[in-house]
Amino acid sequence: MTQTPTGNTTGTAQVPAPVPGQARGHQGAPAHPLPPAAHAPRRAAWRESLTRVRAAATTEPGRLRVVGAVLAVVVVAFGAVTAWQVAERQSAAGNVIDHSGPLSANAAEIYRSLADADATVAGGFLVGGEEPKAVSDRYQRDITTAAELIADAAANSAGSKEARTQIAALNSQLPHYTELVATAQADNRQGLPLGGAYLRYADQQMRKQGGLLDAADKLYQAENGRLGADYADAKALPYASWALGVIALGTLVWAQRRHYRRTNRVFNQGMLTATAATSVVLLWLVAAHTVARTDLADSYHHGAQSMQVLNNARTDVLQARGDENLTLVARGSGDAYEESFSKEMDALAGPAAGDRAGRGSELAQALALADKEAGRAPVRSAIANVAEWRQRHTEERSADDSGDYTTAVAEVIGGKKSSGATVTETTAQTFDAVDTSLGKAVAQEQKEFHQAATDGRGALALLPVGAGVLALLAAGAAVIGVGRRLSEYR
């Protein structure tokens, strides 16, 4: 027998009591220790990173890194927004020059060509029989020009519903008008009075509400609206760029003041370079945009607006000429045409005849808008020729009202009076002189418009790239300046 430490006896060895935290094995030997109590779950990685960043930001090196990052972001944002806004304005100025401006001019030429064709064919009827070749050629040239410009407008009218609507109306009505004119001419060659009726009906299709001239005028207004929108976009002030420029400069000044207060050093070369580069971009932006706005405003007031007034004057001249011819074609029943002639001439030069255009008339406006002698001279010539036209028209109407139709026709298109005397100076000549003078004035204003608008676009040409490059330079310089300060803590 074996005696245990407690004094008890047993036939077997006594197994030790289990140790707390251990499990008993198969033969009483202790097994592997039990796993410790589970730890609390680790925080997400981003939270730990945020904690470390916050802790780092409480130190001066950490604060400097934050300052450098803020400077870089603000300066780069300034450069990017400046490049974007200036590029948009440069693109709008390009549209003024290359798209909406030419489309507006083409729309005006469509109107002028149609009105000239109507006046020309009416003048051909006064000859009687076969119209002169010059008249026929001019009419065909006008119709061809109008058709080509309508096709060109259709190819460039994707952005305007109103323009597409009016182009469709022109395309559908122009063939019908030319058919009526062809019928009228065929009857006139045979000496049939029905030709005059067909011609008056064709003129109604040209001038009525919703007719060819109405559609051409609405197309012109739509294209002018697009031109005005492009002008507004090109001249819009870049408020966002200016605001970011001021913020960037303010942030740089604050950072340098902070640097000075903590180190007692007046200059930090990197930050000073960044401040200089940012100042250059902001000053460049202000100066370039001011020059561009000035040039674009000049191109509008002494170019686009002048052309609009001159184009209105040219259409009044052409319609007045058509009214004058149709008054005689109507043979005693043309009072409505004569009344329309008087209205057109009043709008053109004012109600009083004379060598000076009445205040508010189209020619007076054109003279006031012309800022160069090259533009004023043809307008003054047109005013003088309108006065002469009115005088000759009065003589022509006097002859027609007294029953001397032959003399009246001779006063309009030339030829012999009923007395046998040959008329060498006619209203046709004064009409041509007025139209030619106005054409020269339009060409001069078109030249000034293009030059001023091109100058305006050119003022912005290098700014988008320059702003981007200088902003990157400023951001890099600011980071380097902060980096040199950080190196002092190593």
Side-chain angles (χ1 to χ4, degrees), residues 175-188:
H176 180 54
Y177 171 80
T178 56
E179 288 176 4
L180 290 173
V181 169
T183 302
Q185 289 175 329
D187 288 343
N188 189 53

Side-chain angles (χ1 to χ4, degrees), residues 89-385:
R89 284 148 183 77
Q90 189 179 9
S91 176
N95 286 337
V96 167
I97 299 167
D98 302 322
H99 190 67
S100 55
L103 285 177
S104 177
N106 286 349
E109 185 61 23
I110 290 172
Y111 194 112
R112 196 206 70 82
S113 296
L114 292 174
D116 189 65
D118 196 50
T120 299
V121 74
F125 263 63
L126 297 178
V127 178
E130 185 79 19
E131 65 272 6
K133 186 176 184 301
V135 172
S136 178
D137 289 346
R138 181 168 178 168
Y139 167 76
Q140 290 298 332
R141 185 168 58 251
D142 285 333
I143 295 299
T144 300
T145 298
E148 290 176 349
L149 292 176
I150 291 170
D152 183 65
N156 293 279
S157 64
S160 174
K161 181 180 178 181
E162 176 66 16
R164 292 196 302 271
T165 299
Q166 303 311 323
I167 289 169
L170 289 167
N171 277 324
S172 65
Q173 293 183 48
L174 185 58
H176 180 54
Y177 171 80
T178 56
E179 288 176 4
L180 290 173
V181 169
T183 302
Q185 289 175 329
D187 288 343
N188 189 53
R189 292 184 192 113
Q190 299 176 42
L192 299 176
L194 191 59
Y198 269 107
L199 182 64
R200 291 193 296 273
Y201 183 60
D203 178 72
Q204 291 175 10
Q205 302 308 302
M206 176 69 77
R207 301 196 192 193
K208 70 178 183 179
Q209 186 74 22
L212 281 165
L213 290 183
D214 185 53
D217 181 62
K218 289 178 180 177
L219 175 62
Y220 179 55
Q221 298 304 325
E223 298 300 352
N224 275 344
R226 194 187 310 192
L227 176 62
D230 285 337
Y231 263 115
D233 291 341
K235 296 194 296 181
L237 296 174
Y239 290 114
S241 298
W242 290 352
L244 279 173
V246 172
I247 291 172
L249 279 178
T251 306
L252 284 164
V253 171
W254 168 82
Q256 291 175 88
R257 184 171 180 271
R258 180 183 183 279
H259 174 73
Y260 169 73
R261 294 180 65 181
R262 290 179 180 270
T263 66
N264 205 31
R265 295 174 184 172
V266 178
F267 297 117
N268 178 290
Q269 292 182 349
M271 291 187 188
L272 191 62
T273 301
T275 304
T278 303
S279 299
V280 168
V281 174
L282 185 57
L283 291 173
W284 189 359
L285 172 64
V286 172
H289 202 268
T290 300
V291 172
R293 279 174 61 88
T294 301
D295 287 337
L296 288 170
D298 183 63
S299 76
Y300 177 76
H301 293 297
H302 300 295
Q305 190 174 12
S306 292
M307 285 190 292
Q308 290 173 14
V309 173
L310 288 167
N311 285 326
N312 290 338
R314 294 187 82 185
T315 57
D316 283 342
V317 167
L318 291 166
Q319 289 188 22
R321 177 58 177 173
D323 289 330
E324 184 176 55
N325 291 337
L326 286 167
T327 301
L328 292 176
V329 172
R331 291 199 177 230
S333 59
D335 290 344
Y337 293 116
E338 178 60 22
E339 182 180 352
S340 177
F341 173 88
S342 297
K343 289 181 179 179
E344 299 293 350
M345 295 300 266
D346 288 349
L348 180 65
D355 292 336
R356 303 181 68 178
R359 179 177 297 179
S361 66
E362 288 161 350
L363 290 178
Q365 293 178 53
L367 190 61
L369 288 170
D371 61 333
K372 295 182 179 180
E373 182 59 28
R376 289 191 291 266
V379 176
R380 283 197 292 264
S381 176
I383 292 172
N385 287 319

Side-chain angles (χ1 to χ4, degrees), residues 6-31:
T6 60
N8 297 329
T9 59
T10 178
T12 60
Q14 189 171 356
V15 179
V19 178
Q22 289 184 342
R24 190 177 297 276
H26 180 66
Q27 297 296 329

Side-chain angles (χ1 to χ4, degrees), residues 21-92:
Q22 289 184 342
R24 190 177 297 276
H26 180 66
Q27 297 296 329
H32 295 289
L34 291 172
H39 294 289
R42 292 187 61 186
R43 291 185 300 171
W46 68 270
R47 288 183 178 275
E48 293 184 356
S49 298
L50 182 59
T51 300
R52 287 195 296 269
V53 170
R54 286 176 176 172
T58 60
T59 65
E60 180 59 17
R63 294 191 188 100
L64 285 172
R65 291 187 180 93
V66 172
V67 169
V70 170
L71 290 175
V73 169
V74 172
V75 171
V76 169
F78 169 49
V81 172
T82 298
W84 164 58
Q85 289 199 312
V86 172
E88 280 196 335
R89 284 148 183 77
Q90 189 179 9
S91 176

Side-chain angles (χ1 to χ4, degrees), residues 346-488:
D346 288 349
L348 180 65
D355 292 336
R356 303 181 68 178
R359 179 177 297 179
S361 66
E362 288 161 350
L363 290 178
Q365 293 178 53
L367 190 61
L369 288 170
D371 61 333
K372 295 182 179 180
E373 182 59 28
R376 289 191 291 266
V379 176
R380 283 197 292 264
S381 176
I383 292 172
N385 287 319
V386 166
E388 185 177 354
W389 184 5
R390 277 179 153 172
Q391 181 180 353
R392 291 180 181 176
H393 179 78
T394 300
E395 296 173 359
E396 172 261 315
R397 292 312 310 147
S398 177
D400 189 35
D401 291 340
S402 63
D404 191 354
Y405 182 77
T406 301
T407 296
V409 171
E411 293 283 356
V412 172
I413 64 172
K416 293 184 178 295
K417 300 181 181 181
S418 58
S419 62
T422 300
V423 176
T424 57
E425 296 181 354
T426 65
T427 60
Q429 293 171 324
T430 53
F431 154 72
D432 286 336
V434 173
D435 189 54
T436 299
S437 295
L438 293 178
K440 291 179 180 179
V442 169
Q444 174 62 29
E445 298 305 320
Q446 174 70 34
K447 179 181 177 181
E448 293 184 25
F449 157 78
H450 190 274
Q451 183 61 54
T454 301
D455 291 343
R457 180 176 62 176
L460 303 173
L462 299 177
L463 184 52
V465 175
V469 172
L470 287 174
L472 291 176
L473 172 64
V479 170
I480 291 173
V482 172
R484 289 184 177 177
R485 178 77 178 102
L486 279 170
S487 65
E488 298 173 2

